[in-house]
Amino acid sequence: MRSLAALLQRERPSVAVRNPREAQLLFRLLDELGLEGAVSVGSHGVEVPHRVLETGDPAALACWLASLVERGEVVVGVDMGAANIGVAVIVGGVLAYTDVMRSAELLSQRLLNLAELGFRVRVRIGCPAHLSETARSLVEALERTGIGVDVIRDERVKDAVILGDFTILEKLSKHEVDAIKIALAGAGGNRH
């Protein structure tokens, strides 16, 4: 697995926007992702879709950037904690985005954004043996939209998946690292 930042620094893709307002949105999102110098922005290159920018969602931009150089399904690992929700988004073999959220509604909206942008999204939710009401509501909401969901017993995954020497992990919270492990666990867990 590679990080999006490392991949973009190596590939240095050129992206373009249509107007100064879109350039402002792009630079704000790149800054939020910590990717300010990782892409060349100008009038030449692959045009960033307006829909990606108008969401204002850094996860959407991260997935779009990863899809420039890596093909594959978007797999979202979700670590449902009592107060925090760890999120990790992997595109193909690239860790594109991580976050800690406090709102299942915000997470649901971000996942919908990705699906509406045309990404094939698969969500893997790590939970203890019994789903919390928040997790159950999230699973039901996602399934109503057609997004594929796997519920994985997280106590098996967190100790079973070994991430190896991935230096970015030092900068991530425990919730984000657990979300990466859940995303990488595959569909071998329990299906809801």
Side-chain angles (χ1 to χ4, degrees):
M1 180 173 63
R2 299 164 289 168
S3 74
L4 179 59
L7 183 64
L8 293 176
Q9 287 174 0
R10 189 180 78 233
E11 298 288 330
R12 291 290 296 170
S14 295
V15 299
V17 291
R18 292 183 285 186
N19 57 54
R21 183 181 177 285
E22 285 188 352
Q24 230 176 2
L25 288 170
L26 177 60
F27 284 118
R28 182 183 58 77
L29 290 171
L30 287 170
D31 182 52
E32 191 172 333
L33 291 167
L35 299 173
E36 309 84 14
V39 296
S40 299
V41 180
S43 57
H44 302 292
V46 181
E47 188 171 305
V48 181
H50 178 72
R51 294 181 331 169
V52 169
L53 296 173
E54 76 183 353
T55 66
D57 183 355
L61 179 62
C63 287
W64 181 80
L65 288 169
S67 72
L68 289 178
V69 291
E70 184 77 25
R71 298 284 178 231
E73 182 177 46
V74 173
V75 178
V76 181
V78 178
D79 177 44
M80 295 296 294
N84 296 310
I85 302 170
V87 179
V89 182
I90 299 173
V91 178
V94 175
L95 177 61
Y97 180 79
T98 64
D99 198 2
V100 175
M101 300 178 171
R102 294 194 182 267
S103 163
E105 291 79 23
L106 175 60
L107 172 59
S108 183
Q109 184 56 54
R110 284 198 167 164
L111 294 170
L112 277 173
N113 285 344
L114 293 176
E116 289 172 359
L117 291 169
F119 292 106
R120 261 188 14 231
V121 179
R122 181 105 209 136
V123 179
R124 296 182 178 139
I125 299 177
C127 294
H130 301 287
L131 284 174
S132 68
E133 187 56 41
T134 303
R136 187 178 326 283
S137 296
L138 179 61
V139 168
E140 290 169 359
L142 293 174
E143 286 180 338
R144 278 193 303 273
T145 66
I147 293 175
V149 181
D150 296 311
V151 177
I152 298 173
R153 301 255 326 250
D154 62 2
E155 63 269 6
R156 289 189 214 153
V157 172
K158 291 177 185 177
D159 293 331
V161 175
I162 299 171
L163 295 176
D165 185 20
F166 199 70
T167 56
I168 191 172
L169 297 179
E170 297 171 0
K171 300 174 186 175
L172 301 178
S173 73
K174 177 187 178 325
H175 298 292
E176 290 166 298
V177 172
D178 286 345
I180 294 169
K181 290 178 178 182
I182 291 165
L184 293 174
N190 297 338
R191 174 80 179 110
H192 170 70

